[in-house]
Structure formats: structure tokens, C-alpha cells
Amino acid sequence: MAKMKIKAKEKDGVVKVKAMFRSLMADKEEAEKKKIEAEYITHIIGKANGKVVFEATTSGFMAENPLIKFSFTGAKKGDELEFTLTDNHGKTKTGKKKIK
Amino acid sequence: MERRKFLGMGLVAAAAILAPMTKLNAVNFREAKPKAWEIEKSVDAIKGMFGDGELKTTDKIKFTAPKLAENGGSIPITLSSDLDIETIALFQDANPRAATVVFSVPEGQKVDYSFRIKMRQTALVTIVAKAKDGTLYTLGKEIDVSIGGCGG
């Protein structure tokens, strides 16, 4: 399933995150056209220090390889940011990255 | 030894009580509202997701999107706001199903998201945000798409 790239940087208490998740994001109709299996991320959750800092429920109408930028407060340099993805087949994947 | 066991049990019990409380923050909208994800029209999808509440138009939410998207497969969208928002969602009329993305904003965080969406044709994009006090805010924008996004 999906691979992910995470970049997180802290400045003045605000952590800016750029995260890219590798996924085709193909919904039913699109998958039929391309003759592939439907595959898209349905749920993304991001945690820092065990606290939820980002959460999104997505559908196949997000662009391919969704790139999401967001910022949050309450974490500092060296803390670990963890993302968990769930796809339409119910598979999950986690990825971790230290905040710079 | 007995005392140690007792303490351990207390910890387990405390964890069991705390667990659902932290869970409250995390809502998987696909599990909570599965029907709302299958609706074609934005208006009905919004009702399915947020209920029949009155929608207030607002300018307190900043919604940036291109007026004309050259590539419907990847339209950059930016959402930001200083309001105390609990949930913010994006709906469009261009695709077979209206609901595109629902962000649950964690406690104490502000809305500041950028992402990309797909759109098959020119259509109205609607943002609906639910504030902490239950008020529903909305704003919309029409995006012109010159090339279809869904593989067409």
C-alpha cells in the first residue's frame, strides 16, 4: 500500500507539516476506466506525543498522491510525528518522522 | 505483592476509562456516516453529514482555489480560519459522489490545510464547517475546469 513522505519543521512553537502519501486515489468509476482495482485512502490520522494533531476522512476524489500541508501547535523539536493511513480495503500503514 | 496487584488493576481500570475519552476526538466519518459518502448532490450530502441545521454564510473562513483549473486532476485548495472549528468538510458537484474530504480539527488546533482535489467538470465547491458551539458555516466557489480530472 501507500508509501509516505513526511516533512515537519518547528518554528516559534508552530510545527509546519508537509506530508505526501503515495496512492492512486482511484474511485470506482476511475478504476473501471483504467482497468485497475479501486484503491484510495479513506482515513488519515496524525499524532504527536500521543495526541491527535491531524485527522481527515478522505474519498477517492482527492488528487492522486495526496499532498497535505498543515500546521499545529503543542510539539517541539525532536518529538515524533506519526501518521496512520487506512485504505478502502481496510489495510493500515504507519509512518514516523522526527520533527526538525 | 497483593498491593502491587491492586495498583496494577487500578491502572488498567483508569486506562479503560480514559481510552474512550481520547477516542472522542477521533471520528472516522466513513464509519460514522457511511451513507453520506454515497450521495451525488452536495446539498443532500451536507444534510447527511451535518444534519438539517441552518447554514450561515461566512467570510471568516479563508478558502483559496483557482478560478480556472487547467488540470482537473489536481486542483490546489487552501482552507484557513481563526474560528473554533470542530469539523470542516469539502463537497463538490463534479464527481459521482459529492463528499470529498472531512477534516476533524483536534482540540486546540486551528484550521490550516492545503490539499488537492480532482474534479471532472466545472462545478460549485462548497465548504461546510461546524463550530464548537454547533453553528454551521458555509461558503462556496465555482471552479472552472478545462480538462476532466477522473482519468477522462
Side-chain angles (χ1 to χ4, degrees), chain B residues 20-130:
Chain B
M21 274 175 73
T22 48
K23 258 260 152 127
L24 264 183
N25 221 346
V27 188
N28 185 339
F29 276 87
R30 203 168 274 278
E31 278 165 17
K33 305 267 166 78
K35 272 186 194 152
W37 290 90
E38 300 295 329
I39 300 169
E40 196 190 331
K41 285 266 168 282
S42 294
V43 186
D44 301 327
I46 291 164
K47 270 185 195 157
M49 200 79 79
F50 292 101
D52 278 328
E54 193 196 342
L55 295 166
K56 268 190 197 168
T57 42
T58 179
D59 54 357
K60 293 237 171 79
I61 298 166
K62 234 181 113 193
F63 166 37
T64 340
K67 248 187 201 155
L68 177 77
E70 280 177 16
N71 180 5
S74 168
I75 303 166
I77 306 268
T78 310
L79 293 174
S80 64
S81 174
D82 283 330
L83 295 169
D84 265 340
I85 287 164
E86 198 177 78
T87 327
I88 185 158
L90 187 142
F91 301 90
Q92 35 63 31
D93 283 322
N95 298 328
R97 284 172 289 284
T100 304
V101 62
V102 181
F103 292 102
S104 326
V105 186
E107 191 85 42
Q109 307 294 352
K110 293 280 178 232
V111 174
D112 177 15
Y113 299 122
S114 13
F115 52 95
R116 291 173 189 160
I117 61 161
K118 280 191 259 199
M119 274 171 79
R120 272 189 178 180
Q121 69 218 35
T122 302
L124 186 71
V125 173
T126 317
I127 306 291
V128 179
K130 190 183 173 198

